[in-house]
Amino acid sequence: MIDETKPLFTQIAEKVEDSILNGTLPELSRAPSTNELASFYSINPATAAKGINRLVDKGVLEKRRGIGMFVTEGARALLINEHRTTFSENFISPLLGEANRLGLGSEDVIALIEERSRELHLTTALDPTAAKG
């Protein structure tokens, strides 16, 4: 799990987010406690708590006194929207900027994405017939 470029508490928060996004930690289910995370990843409980508290502040987890942490209703949608925005800012905006510099229109960019997708044997929402071929 250790990525030297990111603080451990950020990595903890991301691991929990990934579990919510991929469905292994469903909404309204009990989330791992700070002590469980600290033990599993062999880190200080305060570090795990900092990561968990980020998710509480974000509205993804909620503390239920005496029974633990739980994934909030709507947490997955919240995370999907957040990640979609980040994806757009980090990848789509630079892609469109470069396309503009090259004089490519949106149809050209879509065609390039579809071409690359076929080359990589990926199915995309842009080409729903690709899965049938």
Side-chain angles (χ1 to χ4, degrees), residues 88-102 104 109 112-113:
S88 177
E89 291 168 355
N90 292 341
F91 297 98
I92 303 300
S93 292
L95 171 81
L96 294 175
E98 183 65 15
N100 186 49
R101 282 188 288 281
L102 295 172
L104 301 173
V109 172
L112 287 170
I113 291 170

Side-chain angles (χ1 to χ4, degrees), residues 4-61:
E4 299 294 330
T5 64
K6 292 183 186 177
L8 285 173
F9 69 89
T10 300
Q11 293 178 64
I12 291 294
E14 288 173 350
K15 288 290 185 187
V16 174
E17 284 183 359
D18 288 346
S19 295
I20 294 168
L21 286 169
N22 71 26
T24 58
L25 193 56
E27 292 181 4
L28 306 177
S29 69
R30 186 184 166 283
S33 71
T34 51
N35 288 334
E36 290 168 335
L37 290 167
S39 175
F40 184 79
Y41 292 111
S42 301
I43 61 173
N44 186 309
T47 302
K50 190 170 181 180
I52 291 298
N53 286 334
R54 281 184 132 197
L55 298 177
V56 170
D57 293 344
K58 195 186 284 192
V60 172
L61 296 179

Side-chain angles (χ1 to χ4, degrees), residues 62-83:
E62 66 182 0
K63 296 177 185 179
R64 295 187 190 164
R65 190 176 183 111
I67 56 174
M69 288 288 187
F70 288 81
V71 179
T72 60
E73 188 170 357
R76 188 168 188 277
L78 187 145
L79 291 172
I80 287 171
N81 286 335
E82 179 182 277
H83 285 243

